[in-house]
């Protein structure tokens, strides 16, 4: 259980170690091929130190990795460690806590995101007014400038649903998300309409877990599972707490939360019925 940067370093290192082994090379042989000391390869593979995208490219060339998608994922992971170009969220460094920046970085790299939400609409599907009301309630003592910046970040994150290829979002929403009036009836009515609109997008699978389903496996709290192209070894589970986020990287943890999400989807309404359910609540809002 680690914070975001350590997770990415370890996952990148583990993937590079696997690729080296598949190439039939020892760490010493790999180091000689790229002109390094063996200790540098070892530090990278254990996640003890970060690695520049250019260095990852050297290793992938040495290991004769030709899968362009896998190369891109691993290069992006290295880039996210701070060695490469600035990303859009770096402009908000002064207002975003490190764990939030880590989350945005993972979200921008992922090919798929599965999320259980028990209290609020997922950030990727929030309207500006809803995002402002949620942020104001969640973070005490915000001045207007910082509030504006945090809402801008929330809305900018939604670009992943419009990128090519877009992030595939699967969300299970507890009915409480739909019933909790955030920002007043008008704001909530527009937010429910936005959910109906989003549910019709091909890259979004939205399901409602109604109160009638009773207690369920996700009752202990929300979670997110990020998946990445080419390899499941990079998948990460994110658990949010009041003051921080936890990142679970062990294969057993990822598999447990993935199975939990599958169970939640089974007990939730179908996407079609969920759309009707949301629209019905919206009509009564």
């Amino acid at each position: 259980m680690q914070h975001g940067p350590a997770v990415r370093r370890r996952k990148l290192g583990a993937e590079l170690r696997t690729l080296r082994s598949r190439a039939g090379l020892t760490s010493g042989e790999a180091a000689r091929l790229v002109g390094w000391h063996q200790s540098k390869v070892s530090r990278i593979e254990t996640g003890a130190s970060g690695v520049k995208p250019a260095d990852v490219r050297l290793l992938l060339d040495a290991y004769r990795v030709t899968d362009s998608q896998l190369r891109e994922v691993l290069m992006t992971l290295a880039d996210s460690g701070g060695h490469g170009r600035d990303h859009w969220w770096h402009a908000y460094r002064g207002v975003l806590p490190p764990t939030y920046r880590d989350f945005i970085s993972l979200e921008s790299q992922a090919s798929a995101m599965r999320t259980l939400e028990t209290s609020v609409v997922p950030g990727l599907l929030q309207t500006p007014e809803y995002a402002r009301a949620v942020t104001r309630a969640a973070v005490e003592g915000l001045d207007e400038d910082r509030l504006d910046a945090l809402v801008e970040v929330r809305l900018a994150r939604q670009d992943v649903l419009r990128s090519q290829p877009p992030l595939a979002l699967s969300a299970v929403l507890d009915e409480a998300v739909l019933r909790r009036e955030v920002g007043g009836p008008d704001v909530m009515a527009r937010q429910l309409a936005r959910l109906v609109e989003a549910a019709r997008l091909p890259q979004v699978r939205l399901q409602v877990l109604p109160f009638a389903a009773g207690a369920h496996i996700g009752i202990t709290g929300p979670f997110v599972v990020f998946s990445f192209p080419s390899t499941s070894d990079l998948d990460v589970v994110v658990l949010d707490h009041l003051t921080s986020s936890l990142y679970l990287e062990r294969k057993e943890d990822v598999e447990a939360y993935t199975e939990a999400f599958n169970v939640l989807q089974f007990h939730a309404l179908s996407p079609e019925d969920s759309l009707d359910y949301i629209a019905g609540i919206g009509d009564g809002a």
Side-chain angles (χ1 to χ4, degrees), residues 241-260:
H241 295 269
L242 182 61
T243 58
S244 65
S245 297
L246 296 177
Y247 295 76
L248 308 182
E249 59 175 312
R250 292 191 315 153
K251 185 176 182 179
E252 308 91 279
D253 292 327
V254 173
E255 288 178 347
Y257 277 90
T258 299
E259 177 58 27

Side-chain angles (χ1 to χ4, degrees), residues 176-195:
V177 173
L178 310 176
R179 298 290 184 184
R180 178 170 287 103
E181 190 175 281
V182 173
D186 291 341
V187 169
M188 200 63 203
R190 287 191 291 272
Q191 178 59 72
L192 292 174
R194 167 65 180 137
L195 286 178

Side-chain angles (χ1 to χ4, degrees), residues 22 57 67 119 252 282:
R22 288 177 184 170
R57 185 182 298 110
D67 184 330
S119 298
E252 308 91 279

Side-chain angles (χ1 to χ4, degrees), residues 31 38 48 79 213 239 271:
Q38 180 181 357
D79 197 14
L239 306 177

Side-chain angles (χ1 to χ4, degrees), residues 266-278:
F266 177 79
H267 289 290
L269 300 176
S270 70
E272 297 76 19
D273 290 343
S274 294
L275 194 154
D276 292 339
Y277 203 82
I278 296 169

Side-chain angles (χ1 to χ4, degrees), residues 126-200:
Q126 292 178 6
T127 65
E129 299 87 355
Y130 186 98
R132 177 173 291 273
V134 166
T135 304
R136 192 188 297 277
V139 186
E140 290 186 359
L142 277 180
D143 59 46
E144 286 301 311
D145 288 343
R146 188 158 182 241
L147 177 61
D148 289 343
L150 290 174
V151 173
E152 287 176 10
V153 168
R154 184 69 55 91
L155 300 179
R157 284 173 47 204
Q158 298 177 2
D159 284 346
V160 296
L161 294 176
R162 296 183 286 270
S163 61
Q164 292 300 324
L167 175 77
L169 174 64
S170 295
V172 173
L173 309 185
D174 190 281
E175 185 173 343
V177 173
L178 310 176
R179 298 290 184 184
R180 178 170 287 103
E181 190 175 281
V182 173
D186 291 341
V187 169
M188 200 63 203
R190 287 191 291 272
Q191 178 59 72
L192 292 174
R194 167 65 180 137
L195 286 178
V196 171
E197 176 187 332
R200 296 193 174 104

